[in-house]
Each structure stands twice: as structure tokens, then as C-alpha cells.
Amino acid sequence: MKNKITVIATALILIFGACKTEPKANDIKKEVLNIHDKLMIDGEKVIKNRMALDSVLKSEQIKSTQDSLHVADLIIRLNKADENMMDWMHFFKDDFKGKDEQEDLEYYKTQMIKIRAVEDSYIKVTKESDSVLKTYNIKPADKMEMTHHKH
């Protein structure tokens, strides 16, 4: 009886253990590339908002030094978000091949973390720049596609 229970328990562990699979490197790579494609579109909004804020900064609409500094800082942050995207693209290896599937998986997991950080900075700086543009009665660039991915 004990032996039968041990066999059944072992079989169940093997069955349920087999069901819990790690994602495949290609699946993560595909999601990384999907986020990249979305961010390429969102990057246009980052650039348009930066240009609009630059126009505000050069205009006579800003009444205080504090507001000027805030807009200038926002322009710097929009530039930085765009630069971070360009840096990520420059160093990303679409054709990465490690020694084995595990090394491929680790590479693409790392890239997922990096591209998510770029995505988060785009979302934050775009929301803030939209808000500032509205205070100057300037319509922000077309809305970013703010779909949320699992982090």
C-alpha cells in the first residue's frame, strides 16, 4: 500500500512538474520585439511633445523662472527617454545565440527588463509632458497606445 501511494505521488509530481514550464527564449524575444515596435510608435509622441515644449520654452507664455526650469527639465527627460531607446536598440542583438537554450532565455529575459524600463520612462515622461502642454493650451501629440504588459 505504501509503495502504491509512493508511485502515485511520484507520478503526480512528475505530471504537475512537467506542466510548469519555463517560457521559451523565442517567446520572450517575440514579446521584446513587440514592445520595441510599440515604442517606436510611442517615440514619435515623445519627439513631438519635446518639440512642442521647446516652442513653449522659447515663447513668452512662461511667466516664471520656476516654470521655465520645469519645462527645460521635462525636455531633458524626454530627450533622455529617447536616447535610452536608441541605446537599447544599438546594443540589442536580435540574432543572439548562446551556448544553449538557457543562455538564450537569460539574454532575452535581461532584454525584457531593459525594454520595460524604457517603456516605463516613456509612459511617465509622456504623461507629464501632456499635462504641462495642456496647461499652456497646447494639444499634446496623438495619444500613445498605453497597453499594459505583464511586468
Side-chain angles (χ1 to χ4, degrees), residues 3 5 14-15 18-19 27 36-37 39 49 53 60-61 77 79 83 85 90 96 99 107 113 120 128 137 143 145 150:
N3 207 9
I5 293 172
L14 290 173
I15 290 169
C19 293
D27 295 340
H36 162 267
D37 293 347
L39 291 179
N49 279 11
L53 287 171
E60 303 211 359
Q61 289 180 287
R77 291 177 32 228
N79 281 333
E83 286 173 21
M85 178 63 174
H90 178 76
F96 179 84
K99 296 175 193 162
Y107 176 77
I113 291 167
D120 289 346
E128 188 175 347
N137 297 318
K143 293 277 184 213
E145 186 181 311
K150 292 187 281 185

Side-chain angles (χ1 to χ4, degrees), residues 77-142:
R77 291 177 32 228
L78 285 161
N79 281 333
K80 183 66 178 160
D82 189 46
E83 286 173 21
N84 288 344
M85 178 63 174
M86 296 302 136
D87 288 346
W88 179 84
M89 288 190 312
H90 178 76
F91 291 107
F92 176 71
K93 293 179 177 80
D94 186 25
D95 58 353
F96 179 84
K97 289 289 180 211
K99 296 175 193 162
D100 56 24
E101 173 72 16
Q102 187 61 38
E103 193 172 336
D104 292 353
L105 182 63
E106 290 306 316
Y107 176 77
Y108 290 114
K109 281 182 175 180
T110 300
Q111 293 307 308
M112 178 65 76
I113 291 167
K114 290 178 181 181
I115 197 71
R116 291 275 189 214
V118 171
E119 180 183 43
D120 289 346
S121 70
Y122 265 35
I123 290 169
K124 288 176 189 169
V125 75
T126 302
K127 281 183 179 179
E128 188 175 347
S129 63
D130 284 350
S131 176
V132 169
L133 286 169
K134 285 178 186 174
T135 64
Y136 291 100
N137 297 318
I138 297 173
K139 184 181 177 214
D142 293 335

Side-chain angles (χ1 to χ4, degrees), residues 6-109:
T6 304
V7 170
I8 292 171
T10 303
L12 288 173
I13 290 170
L14 290 173
I15 290 169
F16 289 117
C19 293
K20 185 183 171 197
T21 58
E22 279 258 352
K24 301 245 184 278
N26 278 340
D27 295 340
I28 295 176
K29 175 183 175 181
K30 184 178 177 183
E31 189 174 347
V32 166
L33 292 173
N34 286 340
I35 295 168
H36 162 267
D37 293 347
K38 177 191 163 299
L39 291 179
M40 291 301 294
I41 295 165
D42 294 347
E44 292 178 30
K45 180 172 176 56
V46 167
I47 292 168
K48 287 177 182 177
N49 279 11
R50 183 189 68 214
M51 291 171 29
L53 287 171
D54 193 46
S55 294
V56 167
L57 194 59
K58 293 175 181 173
S59 74
E60 303 211 359
Q61 289 180 287
I62 297 179
K63 302 299 180 200
S64 74
T65 304
Q66 184 177 1
D67 288 344
S68 287
L69 291 173
H70 182 241
V71 169
D73 178 63
L74 200 46
I75 291 169
I76 289 168
R77 291 177 32 228
L78 285 161
N79 281 333
K80 183 66 178 160
D82 189 46
E83 286 173 21
N84 288 344
M85 178 63 174
M86 296 302 136
D87 288 346
W88 179 84
M89 288 190 312
H90 178 76
F91 291 107
F92 176 71
K93 293 179 177 80
D94 186 25
D95 58 353
F96 179 84
K97 289 289 180 211
K99 296 175 193 162
D100 56 24
E101 173 72 16
Q102 187 61 38
E103 193 172 336
D104 292 353
L105 182 63
E106 290 306 316
Y107 176 77
Y108 290 114
K109 281 182 175 180

